Amino acid sequence: MSGQEKKTGRERGEEWWQTDIIEMRPGVIRLRGYEIQDLIGRVSFPATIWLMLRGELPGEEQAALLGIALGAAVDHGPQAPSIAIARMAATCGVGINSAMASAINVLGDVHGGAGEQALSFYGDVAAAMDQGTALADAVTARLDRFLAEEKGYVPGFGHRFHPVDPRAPRLIEVTRDFAARGIIGGRFADIAEAIEVELAQRKGKTIPLNIDGATAVIYGELGFPPALTRG
C-alpha cells in the first residue's frame, strides 16, 4: 500500500488545498511564509502585491515605484472598452460585481494585452544587447522583424485618444530619478526611448510612448515577467 493510500481523506484534502502563496488554518494566516499580523500596518499594499506574486518582500523604494505604476494606470476613462462595458452592464441593473466581471472578460490580446506585449518586445531587445548587440542595432532588428511578421501597431506606442499620453513622460521621468538613485538600472527606459526615436525616423513623425509602454518600462526595471503585466 502506497503512502498516499495510507493517508486519511482529511489529510489528502488538506494536502490538495495547500499552496505556496497562503497558509490558512485555525488561528494562522501566512502569506508566503509571513505571519499576516506581522504584515498588517507595516507593509504597504504595493509591497503586499509584490510579495504575493513573487514570494519575497521588495525594498521600500521598489514598492514605491510599483505603486507609482499602478496608480498611473488606475483608470483609462469611459472610452476604454472594458470601462464602457462595465458602465453599460450597470445600466442593466446588475451589481458592481457583475459589471466588473463583464469588463474583465474582454481583457485579452487586443484590449489589455499591450503592456505584456510591450515588455516582451523590450525583453527581446534586451536579450540581443546581452549578446553584444548595440542598443540602436537591437531596436532596428526587432522593429524589422515586427513589421515583417506581425504588422499593426508597435505595442506601447501611440494612442487613439491622446496626441501625447500625459502619463508616459512623467513615468519615464520618475523612472530616470529612481535609476539615478541606484534603485533600478534604467535599461528598459533606454530601450523604450530608443524605440520611440527609431519609430519617428521610420514614420516621419513621433509615435510617442503610451501608458502601457511606460508602465512596462517600470515593470521591466523591477524584474516582473511580461505575463504579470497583462490587463
Side-chain angles (χ1 to χ4, degrees):
M1 183 177 291
S2 69
Q4 179 68 26
E5 292 173 333
K6 292 178 182 178
K7 293 180 180 178
T8 67
R10 180 186 179 90
E11 289 172 335
R12 291 196 298 272
E14 290 177 348
E15 186 176 83
W16 192 89
W17 283 106
Q18 286 180 354
T19 167
D20 290 337
I21 297 174
I22 184 170
E23 178 185 351
M24 178 80 73
R25 52 190 174 84
V28 175
I29 303 174
R30 294 191 182 98
L31 304 182
R32 295 289 193 174
Y34 290 87
E35 302 281 355
I36 189 68
Q37 60 268 31
D38 293 335
L39 299 175
I40 294 172
R42 298 186 179 95
V43 177
S44 68
F45 185 56
T48 304
I49 293 173
W50 184 302
L51 173 65
M52 297 290 279
L53 292 175
R54 301 177 63 168
E56 60 186 14
L57 284 170
E60 185 176 336
E61 296 281 13
Q62 291 175 310
L65 185 55
L66 175 60
I68 288 168
L70 294 173
V74 70
D75 197 328
H76 296 275
Q79 300 87 0
S82 55
I83 297 174
I85 288 168
R87 288 164 60 91
M88 185 62 69
T91 67
C92 297
V94 300
I96 190 170
N97 287 354
S98 296
M100 290 294 293
S102 298
I104 291 169
N105 279 336
V106 301
L107 295 176
D109 289 338
V110 174
H111 176 56
E116 178 183 12
Q117 295 156 11
L119 185 50
S120 293
F121 198 105
Y122 301 161
D124 290 342
V125 174
M129 293 170 65
D130 289 340
Q131 297 299 315
T133 305
L135 171 58
D137 293 337
V139 166
T140 296
R142 184 63 184 92
L143 279 173
D144 285 343
R145 190 164 81 252
F146 177 85
L147 296 174
E149 298 174 359
E150 302 174 56
K151 305 189 184 299
Y153 298 102
V154 176
F157 294 84
H159 199 285
R160 63 181 179 81
F161 194 79
H162 301 292
V164 175
D165 190 324
R167 299 162 292 189
R170 175 58 180 155
L171 286 171
I172 295 301
E173 180 183 5
V174 170
T175 301
R176 291 298 189 193
D177 175 64
F178 274 72
R181 291 188 281 125
I183 309 302
I184 54 176
R187 187 186 205 189
F188 285 88
D190 292 340
I191 291 171
E193 290 184 341
I195 293 171
E196 189 174 73
V197 169
E198 179 66 17
L199 280 174
Q201 292 176 347
R202 294 182 182 222
K203 300 291 186 179
K205 62 178 181 179
T206 300
I207 310 294
L209 193 68
N210 62 32
I211 181 65
D212 296 307
T215 52
V217 164
I218 291 177
Y219 298 139
E221 295 286 353
L222 292 174
F224 282 89
L228 291 182
T229 70
R230 191 177 186 84

